[in-house]
Amino acid sequence: MIISLTIVRYRKLFVPFALFAMALHRLPMMLQDGCTFWKLLGTGRNGTFDLQPDWQQWGLLAVWEDREAYDRFAARSWVSRWWRTLAKEQWTILCRPLQSHGKWDGKEPFGKANVKDIEGPVGVLTRATIRTSRLKNFWSHVDEVANLMTGAPGYITSIGVGEAPVYRQATFSVWESAAQMKAFAYGSKEHAEVIKKTRSEDWYSEELFARFKILESIGSINGKDPLDAILNTKDK
């Protein structure tokens, strides 16, 4: 199993095409050979959960049976050709699931992986459907957690994505090591308090937490490869 997260940045002139693609790309993804799960995504401006969408930047998270299935998609699919024609930049992270807990639309897209000995950089996906009655609680803590995360030791980059505005949100973050990621997740008093509130106040109707081994970083976003400092992809 291979997971790809592709972030595409469109030219301003082509933003209407980007919006149209959210509907248009559904059918080719449904028919894509070797793809077992996919989500077309909008992105936020600040690298985490965000009420302000970035209209130029969009994403696709997909689960592939193997690397060959992803390579076929990247080389020949209608969706990838659309990106090459209309996008200003394209960046893809390829990874493999290490641990996954919870569901996404009632499914376990990354299986039941539970690898405990994790070495090297890790990706973390935190995804939730927020209850309407808890939206105010959730959004009132977003900036606080984002500031804690971006200032934490070992933090490299993050991408805020969403299936729908406001209530179906996710963050994919990359860390230098699992130990540093855990130190932020569980060692920060402020972050631990927010996690406690999500449970005691029942913020989410569905949630998913997954960790991944970063395999490769392809392309660039905003003029650079965010993982260039930790991955020597060109020699692989």
Side-chain angles (χ1 to χ4, degrees):
M1 179 188 293
I2 294 289
I3 288 81
S4 65
L5 175 61
T6 298
I7 303 298
V8 178
R9 189 159 189 84
Y10 288 83
R11 299 172 179 87
K12 286 186 178 180
L13 180 66
F14 293 151
V15 166
F17 291 93
L19 291 165
F20 185 44
M22 290 293 284
L24 189 64
H25 289 178
R26 295 179 65 84
L27 181 59
M29 289 308 303
M30 289 178 186
L31 301 176
Q32 183 64 44
D33 180 46
C35 184
T36 61
F37 182 87
W38 56 271
K39 289 293 178 182
L40 294 165
L41 304 164
T43 75
R45 293 179 181 272
N46 298 318
T48 182
F49 305 113
D50 201 338
L51 283 169
Q52 293 186 324
D54 186 336
W55 297 108
Q56 286 183 257
Q57 193 162 285
W58 302 80
L60 170 70
L61 183 142
V63 180
W64 306 94
E65 293 176 353
D66 49 36
R67 177 61 187 263
E68 288 72 23
Y70 166 76
D71 287 343
R72 287 195 301 272
F73 167 79
R76 302 193 296 270
S77 75
W78 191 83
V79 172
S80 62
R81 289 198 299 270
W82 172 287
W83 290 339
R84 285 194 292 270
T85 302
L86 299 177
K88 179 180 179 181
E89 286 183 292
Q90 182 177 330
W91 177 48
T92 297
I93 304 173
L94 296 181
C95 48
R96 181 171 291 120
L98 296 170
Q99 297 175 345
S100 181
H101 307 286
K103 294 185 178 181
W104 195 333
D105 284 346
K107 301 177 181 177
E108 295 180 316
F110 313 121
K112 297 181 181 294
N114 189 21
V115 178
K116 295 183 178 179
D117 295 327
I118 303 172
E119 296 183 359
V122 296
V124 178
L125 177 70
T126 304
R127 181 266 166 192
T129 300
I130 308 153
R131 297 184 190 278
T132 304
S133 61
R134 296 293 181 264
L135 285 172
K136 183 178 179 180
N137 308 55
F138 174 86
W139 286 106
S140 67
H141 289 86
V142 164
D143 289 344
E144 174 190 355
V145 172
N147 291 334
L148 287 170
M149 180 174 69
T150 56
Y155 167 85
I156 296 171
T157 191
S158 60
I159 307 150
V161 294
E163 301 165 73
V166 182
Y167 78 103
R168 290 169 68 88
Q169 299 289 310
T171 293
F172 189 96
S173 59
V174 182
W175 300 79
E176 292 180 12
S177 70
Q180 289 169 310
M181 179 274 295
K182 290 178 181 178
F184 161 72
Y186 308 115
S188 165
K189 181 180 178 181
E190 295 90 342
H191 189 243
E193 279 296 314
V194 174
I195 293 176
K196 185 178 178 181
K197 286 183 179 181
T198 68
R199 302 289 183 261
S200 63
E201 298 178 8
D202 196 22
W203 288 5
Y204 308 138
S205 60
E206 185 181 59
E207 60 182 313
L208 174 70
F209 178 80
R211 297 173 184 170
F212 304 92
K213 177 179 177 60
I214 304 296
L215 301 177
E216 193 169 346
S217 178
I218 305 165
S220 66
I221 201 73
N222 294 319
K224 65 178 183 179
D225 177 351
L227 305 189
D228 185 57
I230 62 166
L231 290 177
N232 187 5
T233 59
K234 293 181 181 179
D235 293 337
K236 290 185 178 181

